[in-house]
Amino acid sequence: MSSLQCYSTFKIDVSCAAITSFTDVASFLSLYDAKKLTYLLGGGSNSIFIEDFEGSILVNKIMGITHYDTPQNHHLRVGAGENWHELVTLCLQNKWYGMENLALIPGSVGACPIQNIGAYGCEVEKFIDSVECVLLETGEQVLLNNVDCQFGYRDSIFKHDLAGKVLITHVNFTLPKAYELETSYGELAQLDEPTPEKIYHKVIEVRQSKLPDPAQLGNAGSFFKNPVIDQAQFDAISENYASVPHFMVTDDREGRDERVKIPAAWLIDQAGFKGKTLNGVRCHPTQPLVLTNIGGASGADVLAMARDIVSSVKQKFGISLEAEVRLVGKTGLITL
Ligand SMILES: Cc1cc2nc3c(=O)[nH]c(=O)nc-3n(C[C@H](O)[C@H](O)[C@H](O)COP(=O)(O)OP(=O)(O)OC[C@H]3O[C@@H](n4cnc5c(N)ncnc54)[C@H](O)[C@@H]3O)c2cc1C
């Protein structure tokens, strides 16, 4: 058995049958066996291993970044094993601007399309031109363009029709030279004469002040997605909670517009969980959307805390919170 503790930023002390890395498609295909239980892993910052995993872990280390430019755009082809934040930093250093709002998000480039990573008013789908994949069943290499990826809020085809069916090998990005700065979000709106460099440094500063560093305190970032609800349900909530924070959204997967997104952190706080501890798991005091491993947390502790939050929020507001993190059990993904 191999220890998984260092392979997930939540750092639960569990193990699996074997852990192997691969650096190219050929070595992946020689390792992968569709008949055997396997979990593909990047940086492990969105995967919490709840108990011993009975199968093998294959860690994507496909590296390499190539760049060319056209009169309008910078184009990048990036290996899925590259580190996301290092890519954002490299782009900034080369004045290939646009992705600075997404600085300091942990994890690999290969995982970024899966949940369409986003922060500070920006989602990665805006820059993804196409995603190169290998179909696990046949070994065939396919290219999905931006529309094929069916991006949504923390969502994509990789969580639906293609869930567990592909290895992402490379992501192709297009960064327009006529970039637009995104400064509508919170602290960024206060920047004096904003530049991409100022946004990058401000995002890092704000993230470091609010979010626990996984190197110091095990966590997997936002544990839950921000729920999106109907206007009528929102109106009913705001009758009792006049100051409920909210944002109008129009890009819902089901094609309905005029829906309302409520910060899950606010709901969790209102339900009384901010700062609450259950054995080794704590609901983070400055950002209740994050659960942390304060030392020796077990998978059972994580599930108990998360399920308690879900049922309390449901009881108080009638809203069902969904996990943003991947919870991995003995034989694969488990739900709350
Ligand atoms: C402190 C902290 C802050 C965070 N902040 C944000 C944030 O602001 N915004 C945000 O969107 N997310 C955030 N996250 C979540 C996380 O960083 C992202 O989801 C990231 O994209 C996960 O990358 P990873 O390589 O670590 O994924 P992993 O946990 O390794 O994998 C995630 C999922 O993708 C699959 N997968 C990984 N690589 C591949 C591949 N090459 N091919 C096919 N499947 C693959 C895995 O099987 C798994 O199901 C945060 C996490 C932490 C710990």
Side-chain angles (χ1 to χ4, degrees):
M1 296 292 274
S2 307
S3 172
L4 273 167
Q5 200 165 18
C6 300
Y7 287 86
S8 156
T9 57
F10 205 89
K11 297 191 175 71
I12 293 182
D13 186 11
V14 287
S15 56
C16 64
I19 304 174
T20 318
S21 302
F22 57 91
T23 54
D24 55 34
V25 173
S27 59
F28 170 76
L29 291 174
S30 70
L31 290 165
Y32 181 77
D33 181 346
K35 291 188 218 75
K36 291 193 179 147
L37 185 60
T38 305
Y39 188 79
L40 297 178
L41 196 66
S45 63
N46 198 34
S47 302
I48 303 182
F49 295 99
I50 294 293
E51 52 199 341
D52 290 340
F53 179 64
E54 290 177 357
S56 301
I57 304 289
L58 291 179
V59 186
N60 190 329
K61 294 281 180 196
I62 298 177
M63 309 306 270
I65 301 176
T66 51
H67 163 267
Y68 69 92
D69 69 344
T70 54
Q72 273 84 35
N73 301 308
H74 292 286
H75 300 270
L76 291 127
R77 179 176 188 255
V78 186
E82 294 284 349
N83 176 274
W84 173 258
H85 175 67
E86 285 169 18
L87 173 67
V88 174
T89 305
L90 179 88
C91 288
L92 189 86
Q93 286 163 348
N94 284 284
K95 305 194 190 312
W96 307 331
Y97 294 133
M99 302 205 288
E100 44 285 340
N101 295 55
L102 304 177
L104 217 62
I105 297 180
S108 62
V109 167
C112 82
I114 294 179
Q115 74 153 1
N116 184 18
I117 57 169
Y120 300 92
C122 189
E123 285 179 327
V124 74
E125 65 170 291
K126 193 172 154 190
F127 308 105
I128 293 181
D129 177 58
S130 59
V131 176
E132 297 177 35
C133 306
V134 171
L135 299 179
L136 296 181
E137 209 173 286
T138 59
E140 187 192 344
Q141 298 192 29
V142 294
L143 184 72
L144 272 70
N145 67 28
N146 182 292
V147 174
D148 296 334
C149 292
Q150 298 176 14
F151 290 119
Y153 165 61
R154 299 295 173 274
D155 206 11
S156 72
I157 194 169
F158 304 108
K159 286 186 164 188
H160 297 275
D161 292 359
L162 292 183
K165 293 189 178 156
V166 296
L167 165 74
I168 293 172
T169 63
H170 296 84
V171 182
N172 296 304
F173 298 92
T174 297
L175 307 180
K177 290 183 178 174
Y179 59 90
E180 285 170 19
L181 299 181
E182 171 52 67
T183 55
S184 56
Y185 186 93
E187 291 87 342
L188 299 185
Q190 289 146 28
L191 280 175
D192 189 25
E193 295 182 19
T195 62
E197 286 78 9
K198 283 187 189 174
I199 292 175
Y200 173 87
H201 291 294
K202 182 51 99 180
V203 166
I204 290 176
E205 183 192 317
V206 175
R207 291 184 71 97
Q208 284 177 334
S209 71
K210 284 191 182 161
L211 292 171
D213 176 358
Q216 316 287 333
L217 190 61
N219 76 89
S222 302
F223 198 95
F224 299 101
K225 291 206 248 183
N226 292 317
V228 178
I229 60 174
D230 291 330
Q231 184 70 47
Q233 192 179 6
F234 175 75
D235 292 343
I237 292 171
S238 56
E239 270 179 29
N240 295 323
Y241 300 89
S243 60
V244 50
H246 62 283
F247 312 89
M248 299 309 293
V249 290
T250 51
D251 60 342
D252 177 49
R253 270 181 74 85
E254 290 153 41
R256 291 173 293 182
D257 54 10
E258 292 303 294
R259 304 191 85 216
V260 189
K261 189 190 278 184
I262 300 189
W266 183 84
L267 297 166
I268 296 167
D269 187 8
Q270 292 294 315
F273 283 89
K274 192 171 172 175
K276 199 169 164 181
T277 302
L278 177 75
N279 299 322
V281 178
R282 177 175 297 152
C283 182
H284 199 58
T286 57
Q287 175 43 283
L289 193 48
V290 177
L291 302 186
T292 62
N293 178 354
I294 55 171
S298 69
D301 297 340
V302 174
L303 291 183
M305 174 70 103
R307 286 174 175 154
D308 201 5
I309 290 174
V310 169
S311 72
S312 300
V313 168
K314 176 80 181 166
Q315 204 175 15
K316 201 171 170 72
F317 297 101
I319 293 176
S320 303
L321 288 181
E322 284 175 35
E324 182 175 310
V325 293
R326 304 295 184 104
L327 301 165
V328 189
K330 273 191 180 71
T331 57
L333 293 178
I334 54 176
T335 49
L336 282 176

